[in-house]
């Protein structure tokens, strides 16, 4: 149909719309590096004729470049963000998509500190009860992962659930894979692994039904938190193939994050450190949160591997994002990481603060890890009774959530102080 439209008499405005549709088709079907460049080209053509549509297209181009990640075309998200900032301003009052575009472009060009106020306004607009359905269906995916990048799990959970519900109700099956992906990742961070696994099965069925490659982001996170090495290795292999075939560069980054998480869970810290470095290498300012989360894995692995230089460098990069975000999730991870690098009363104070902050969030897996790390520190300080309390809490949480590698690590620590961890059974899993 587009070929027929392009063959007829077209003016510059209509050619811009044809280019936009071609780019949207390419991105929906392939999610690779091609979509970002096509969308940016369409946005520039539309700018002279339809400013609101051009601004929306710049936002789509940035979104596509984020998913392409390290494999985005030369300039990638930075080129798209600069072009968006040079475009005519948003109409007044700004639409939710305008706020999201302005905040995202600022984040990419100026960093986390400068973008937080605008992006928080955008997230508030997308959280509003009267959000237009068209805006929700088109932008809630990007709004959801923006909340993740700002370390705002409550808003992420709200927006990902809303996006999935809207997509189901509208019957927009082509948008369902990305809506499911965001919801899977949110549920994994919340420790709801059973729900995430059910959604992952649906994602596979839907993607196969409409003839597109299955997005692997959520599944990679799921199996890593579950501690399933073989499943992660198979998904990582497929992610590498996708990157080579289509230029979908974020999947290999997420697989490296998963490998780091697995390494830390299994106590293989050299492996975890190498994977975390790979995941956070060439970190992009507009990334999906993944490369920043990898910095926390890098700190834990580096400390356990006695590589203080790597830990210090990763911590400096981490705080550039967590401190401006200012959420309990962000500051909880920051103080937990600081505790790993500290001694004495400073370390203990940071562990307690991390548990307090993460306890006020719904990020249950990270809270359980804070209890585990504090318990390990207390055992090394020979404070056995206090260590026992923290390690038991961690082990029970990991077991209930189905995070087997970390549960086994907590069990090993309990055995080291003469305790026997309660064995996992079908009943306790249920």
């Amino acid at each position: 149909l587009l070929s027929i439209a392009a063959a007829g008499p077209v003016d510059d405005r209509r050619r811009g719309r044809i280019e936009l549709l071609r780019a949207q088709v390419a991105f929906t079907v392939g999610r690779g590096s091609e979509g970002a460049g096509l969308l940016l080209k369409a946005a520039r053509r539309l700018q002279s004729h339809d400013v609101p549509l051009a601004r929306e297209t710049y936002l789509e181009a940035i979104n596509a470049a984020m998913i392409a990640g390290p494999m985005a075309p030369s300039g990638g998200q930075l080129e798209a963000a600069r072009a968006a900032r040079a475009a005519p301003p948003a109409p007044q009052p700004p639409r939710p998509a305008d706020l999201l575009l302005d905040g995202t472009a600022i984040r990419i060009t100026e960093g986390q500190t400068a973008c937080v106020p605008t992006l928080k306004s955008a997230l508030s607009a997308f959280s509003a009860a009267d959000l237009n359905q068209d805006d929700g269906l088109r932008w809630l995916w990007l709004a959801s992962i923006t909340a993740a990048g700002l370390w705002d799990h409550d808003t992420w959970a709200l927006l990902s659930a809303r996006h999935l519900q809207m997509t189901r109700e509208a019957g927009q099956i082509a948008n369902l894979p990305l809506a499911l992906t965001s919801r899977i990742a949110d549920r994994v961070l919340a420790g709801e692994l059973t729900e995430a696994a059910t959604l992952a099965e649906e994602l596979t069925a839907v993607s196969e039904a409409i003839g597109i490659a299955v997005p692997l982001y959520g599944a990679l996170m799921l199996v890593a938190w579950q501690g399933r090495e073989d499943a992660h290795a198979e998904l990582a292999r497929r992610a590498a193939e996708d990157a080579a075939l289509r230029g979908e560069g974020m999947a290999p980054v997420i697989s490296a994050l998963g490998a780091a998480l697995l390494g830390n869970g299994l106590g293989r810290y050299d492996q975890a450190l190498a994977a975390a470095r790979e995941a956070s290498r060439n970190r992009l300012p507009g990334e999906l949160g993944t490369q920043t989360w990898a910095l926390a894995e890098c700190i834990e692995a580096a400390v356990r591997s006695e590589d203080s230089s790597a830990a210090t460098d990763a911590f400096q990069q981490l705080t550039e994002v967590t401190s401006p975000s200012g959420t309990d999730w962000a500051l909880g991870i920051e103080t937990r990481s600081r505790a790993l690098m500290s001694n004495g009363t400073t370390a203990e104070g940071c562990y307690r603060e991390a548990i307090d902050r993460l306890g006020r969030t719904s990020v249950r897996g990270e809270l359980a890890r804070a209890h585990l790390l504090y318990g390990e520190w207390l055992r090394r300080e020979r404070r056995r009774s206090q260590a026992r309390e923290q390690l038991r809490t961690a082990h029970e949480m990991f077991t209930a959530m189905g995070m087997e590698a970390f549960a086994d690590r907590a069990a090993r620590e309990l055995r080291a102080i003469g305790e026997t961890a309660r064995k996992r059974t079908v009943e306790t899993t249920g």
Side-chain angles (χ1 to χ4, degrees), residues 335-407:
T335 52
R336 192 185 75 189
S337 300
R338 190 187 302 276
L340 279 163
M341 302 169 62
S342 305
N343 299 300
T345 56
T346 300
E348 181 159 23
C350 286
Y351 279 125
R352 288 182 176 275
E353 181 182 346
I355 289 170
D356 180 57
R357 286 189 177 279
L358 292 171
R360 295 198 291 263
T361 75
S362 50
V363 188
R364 294 169 57 217
E366 298 292 8
L367 172 61
R369 291 179 69 180
H371 283 291
L372 172 61
L373 290 169
Y374 186 28
E376 289 174 337
W377 181 83
L378 288 166
R379 185 180 74 79
R380 287 166 176 76
E381 294 289 308
R382 300 184 179 181
R383 294 160 59 178
R384 295 166 61 91
S385 63
Q386 292 171 295
R388 184 181 299 113
E389 177 185 353
Q390 296 296 326
L391 294 170
R392 278 180 176 170
T393 298
H395 183 264
E396 290 171 2
M397 291 181 70
F398 287 132
T399 301
M401 290 183 286
M403 298 176 176
E404 295 185 8
F406 282 106

Side-chain angles (χ1 to χ4, degrees), residues 224-419:
W225 276 100
Q226 288 173 324
R228 297 167 55 198
E229 282 190 275
D230 291 344
H232 182 270
E234 171 60 20
L235 287 172
R237 181 191 64 77
R238 288 170 53 191
E241 289 177 355
D242 287 348
L245 181 64
R246 296 194 307 274
E248 188 178 351
M250 276 311 299
V253 172
I254 296 174
S255 69
L257 170 64
L261 187 68
L262 272 168
N264 280 328
L266 296 166
R268 300 173 190 166
Y269 299 113
D270 290 344
Q271 169 188 316
L273 180 57
R277 280 173 159 163
E278 177 62 25
S280 57
R281 183 167 57 90
N282 300 322
R283 191 164 60 90
L284 300 167
E287 51 94 15
L288 310 183
T290 308
Q291 291 176 294
T292 303
W293 298 340
L295 294 172
E297 302 301 331
C298 184
I299 294 164
E300 181 173 340
V303 169
R304 293 292 189 249
S305 303
E306 299 183 351
D307 189 338
S308 58
S309 176
T312 300
D313 180 60
F315 185 74
Q316 180 180 345
Q317 294 182 63
L318 179 70
T319 56
E320 290 172 358
V321 178
T322 51
S323 294
S325 296
T327 65
D328 281 321
W329 178 16
L331 298 180
I333 296 297
E334 181 181 318
T335 52
R336 192 185 75 189
S337 300
R338 190 187 302 276
L340 279 163
M341 302 169 62
S342 305
N343 299 300
T345 56
T346 300
E348 181 159 23
C350 286
Y351 279 125
R352 288 182 176 275
E353 181 182 346
I355 289 170
D356 180 57
R357 286 189 177 279
L358 292 171
R360 295 198 291 263
T361 75
S362 50
V363 188
R364 294 169 57 217
E366 298 292 8
L367 172 61
R369 291 179 69 180
H371 283 291
L372 172 61
L373 290 169
Y374 186 28
E376 289 174 337
W377 181 83
L378 288 166
R379 185 180 74 79
R380 287 166 176 76
E381 294 289 308
R382 300 184 179 181
R383 294 160 59 178
R384 295 166 61 91
S385 63
Q386 292 171 295
R388 184 181 299 113
E389 177 185 353
Q390 296 296 326
L391 294 170
R392 278 180 176 170
T393 298
H395 183 264
E396 290 171 2
M397 291 181 70
F398 287 132
T399 301
M401 290 183 286
M403 298 176 176
E404 295 185 8
F406 282 106
D408 289 344
R409 177 172 150 187
R412 290 195 299 272
E413 289 289 323
L414 283 167
R415 288 194 294 271
I417 56 174
E419 291 290 312

